[in-house]
Amino acid sequence: MHFLRRVLVPLHVVALVTAALLSGAPTASAAAADTTLLQPGWAVTAATVSCPGQPQRSMTSLQAATFLQSFIADAFFSHLKVQDPPAGVTRCTVTLASIFAGEPPQPASPVGYATNGTKVWVQIPPGKWSVAKQTQRAIDSFAGHGTYVPVANAPTTTPASSPKTTAPATSDSSHGSSTTWIWIVVLAAVVVLALAAVIRSRRRRSATTTAGPPRQT
Amino acid sequence: MLSVPMALVTAGSAFAVPSCLASNFPAVSGGESSLKVSCIVPVGTAAGTKTTIKDYAQARWHSGAARLSAADGTFTSGSAVVTSTTGHFVAGDVNHQVTSDLPGIPAGAFIKTFTSATSVTLNVVTTASATTAVLTVENSSARHATDVTRSATTLLTSATANFKAGDVGAIVTGTGIKPGTKISVVGVSGANTTATISQPTNQAGSNGYLTINPVLQPASNRKVTDLHNPSAAASATIISATAGFTQSDVGLAVVGIGTGWPVGARIITVTSATTAVMSATATLGVAATHVALIGNPDVGAPTDGSTVAQLGAELQLSPTLVASSDDCANHTPEGFSIQGTWENPASFVAPSLTLGAAPSNSVGQIVYNNSSAAFAGYVVRSLTGTYTFIIPVLPTALAQCAGTALGSVFTFNPITAGQSLLPTGLAAPNTAVVRGYADFVGAVPPANTAGTVTVGTNAPITLTACAVSRQLNGPTTWACGQG
């Protein structure tokens, strides 16, 4: 029984976490836990993507960080060409929050994104709309396919793994943001099945041993 | 001036912890002074995001504030009387400079007589008429006179200086006045035309120039973020652990941001450094989280958007993240420099991605903006009158190559272009500066304790100490630090 208790508690946790991940509307604690470093002491949260005429979707923090990495350093360290997206090009908004070590929580802030397929415009308020230098990278990362660049000179904290993001851009937020969620669910299911198999196996063994005469204690 | 040796910013730096050097110039009492701080953050240091520069003890950033009337200021050419139904004049306004957005009030004019909450008399007559002027009333008694007669000893006489008891202890400068002189006694038989100073003049003379500084450093226009009421009940009393209220706050507007604040409130009483009473009640509760702007920029304040600082950096940027960079293995640091512009508290800009909030009691924001993205630092005044510059999030490590160092140089200008172009006498004396040094009484300067720099989570780095000097000491002592 003690063994079962030890196993069932983790199972319970796994189930709760899985349910939270599947909910599509992460709880505050879940959202706070999902952060990815941009630089030492600066992490970003999961993001919400809004494009006119399209269903809202979400990005994991890893996807959000990867998206920012596709242009943010260029925005700060080199001179992006200031230019508004042409009329008719859909302007999307990626809303995310930053978390800074030792600082109070910051409100979410919007980042503008627009593309015509050959050029990408980004806007980090209060900056103006500017042309991203790494077009394909920006397009891929906005779609959830970019590659996260691990932060240099940082302690090995978040992100723990999976520097490659694999999410499609079309996921509805009500069903999770990307295939990342599917992988998480699959992983969770595998863990549950494995644990269940272990439990069943132990039960059988236990049943076998208890079939004999009662033991003296 | 300092420079960051390139050899120190490549991989393999010998430094184990961050190091910084500082340079002040000129470090002269009562004058403006630039500050330059150069830092090396070596390989392997957990730099963090926050950079804090605690300035030298005697350094003064722009201080002073003002209150504005509505567009109802009225005066008639040839008369010294100024009226405004929204002037909210008080007796404490005497000797405070007044300016107007419409012509007619001469530069350097100040309130000589308080008549009522809506009427005062200036020390000079106006030169044009107006009925819709916006009046700006400074919150300090800093002023000047140009008709001063000096005895060979310690007596000053002026028909316009309007010496008052509150001037006792004030540092004075001007024609024939020795440095370190203060007002010891004002008035003879109640007259406000004479003052006795603390040491003999250089020589007797007449029609001399005299600047009278306020005895205490005036409060600044600022943003306070930890305000609250004494209890859950509505109250006109506001409390803040950081605001550092002084008598010079009386009359200044309190513009609350968020709910619970009255409209059109101003400070009418200062109880202590942490407590003030407004002209209207607020319902803030006891949570020290409420935000308000106190005062307006005075005439000598840096204008919004004026250049006051530069930030330079030498670091190796990853070509994966910055398209124009070369391979990290080349160990060829990239350098950049960006201008910092001043914003007064009502104009604070939200930095990109909310890169840190303004600390409480910020008197100015310096925005580093390259048109695509912006981050900011804040000039914060402490309860003891010292100043600290805080960049909550410095994004220099966004694209830094692994195993490389960072060199950064923070430079702060002593004055803006706009301040240098102000007509003589328009701003209150000694207020049209970004950063400078306090004047002092006597011959021995007060200790100018060295500042510190804190990079991220590392221990504070103490800058080189130095003394503030007087110009009489000669140019060899004007520099302070390693500059």
Side-chain angles (χ1 to χ4, degrees), chain A residues 67-146:
Chain A
F67 169 65
L68 286 176
Q69 281 187 332
S70 70
F71 59 86
I72 190 171
D74 277 327
F76 276 112
F77 295 111
S78 63
H79 290 284
L80 298 183
K81 182 180 180 183
V82 174
Q83 185 181 80
D84 282 343
V89 173
T90 301
R91 300 182 181 194
C92 299
T93 301
V94 179
T95 303
L96 50 83
S98 292
I99 296 174
F100 304 109
E103 293 287 314
Q106 302 297 311
S109 64
V111 174
Y113 173 90
T115 184
N116 61 3
T118 57
K119 202 184 248 190
V120 168
W121 294 265
V122 293
Q123 185 190 33
I124 318 172
K128 299 170 182 171
W129 281 98
S130 306
V131 179
K133 287 189 172 178
Q134 301 185 60
T135 305
Q136 195 55 50
R137 190 159 175 222
I139 291 173
D140 288 347
S141 62
F142 181 75
H145 299 301

Side-chain angles (χ1 to χ4, degrees), chain B residues 42-139:
Chain B
V43 175
T45 303
T49 58
K50 188 175 185 177
T51 297
T52 302
I53 300 174
K54 186 175 184 302
D55 208 344
Y56 286 73
Q58 295 299 311
R60 295 286 180 270
W61 287 69
H62 177 79
S63 63
R67 70 172 192 272
L68 308 179
S69 75
D72 62 0
T74 300
F75 41 85
T76 304
S77 182
S79 168
V81 174
V82 172
T83 60
S84 165
T85 55
T86 59
H88 301 297
F89 299 115
V90 295
D93 288 334
V94 169
N95 289 341
H96 291 203
Q97 278 200 194
V98 179
T99 51
S100 163
D101 65 331
L102 298 178
I105 296 182
F110 58 85
I111 295 171
K112 187 176 182 180
T113 307
F114 163 74
T115 306
S116 71
T118 59
S119 179
V120 291
T121 302
L122 304 181
N123 66 324
V124 292
V125 297
T126 58
T127 57
S129 299
T131 56
T132 58
V134 176
L135 304 176
T136 300
V137 182
E138 305 276 328
N139 73 332

Side-chain angles (χ1 to χ4, degrees), chain B residues 147-385:
Chain B
D147 63 344
V148 179
T149 298
R150 306 177 304 280
S151 74
T153 56
T154 59
L155 184 65
L156 302 180
T157 304
S158 167
T160 63
N162 199 35
F163 297 116
K164 292 289 186 181
D167 291 326
V168 173
I171 293 174
V172 288
T173 57
T175 317
I177 307 290
K178 291 176 181 172
T181 300
K182 68 174 182 179
I183 293 177
S184 302
V185 181
V186 295
V188 176
S189 302
N192 59 5
T193 56
T194 62
T196 302
I197 54 179
S198 59
Q199 55 185 330
T201 62
N202 284 328
Q203 62 182 58
S206 60
N207 293 323
Y209 190 95
L210 181 73
T211 293
I212 304 166
N213 294 288
V215 176
L216 298 174
Q217 186 185 9
S220 295
N221 170 207
R222 58 206 190 272
K223 183 174 186 176
V224 181
T225 63
D226 63 349
L227 291 155
H228 61 98
N229 284 141
S231 69
S235 171
T237 298
I238 50 175
I239 298 172
S240 161
T242 63
F245 295 115
T246 69
Q247 290 304 312
S248 58
D249 279 318
V250 172
L252 297 183
V254 179
V255 178
I257 298 172
T259 58
W261 289 98
V263 176
R266 61 190 188 285
I267 292 174
I268 56 172
T269 307
V270 171
T271 309
S272 69
T274 59
T275 307
V277 180
M278 300 189 297
S279 57
T281 59
T283 50
L284 306 176
V286 295
T289 56
H290 296 272
V291 181
L293 305 172
I294 298 178
N296 295 91
D298 57 316
V299 174
T303 53
D304 293 338
S306 54
T307 299
V308 295
Q310 294 79 39
L311 171 58
E314 289 283 344
L315 72 170
Q316 283 190 243
L317 296 170
S318 165
T320 311
L321 294 164
V322 179
S324 56
S325 304
D326 65 347
D327 196 292
C328 290
N330 292 337
H331 294 307
T332 51
E334 285 76 33
F336 74 90
S337 183
I338 188 170
Q339 300 290 308
T341 54
W342 181 273
E343 299 292 341
N344 288 296
S347 306
F348 282 3
V349 173
S352 297
L353 300 169
T354 59
L355 294 179
S360 191
N361 217 34
S362 292
V363 301
Q365 180 193 45
I366 297 179
V367 181
Y368 298 96
N369 189 343
N370 71 354
S371 81
S372 298
F375 59 98
Y378 300 87
V379 179
V380 182
R381 183 172 167 175
S382 75
L383 292 178
T384 57

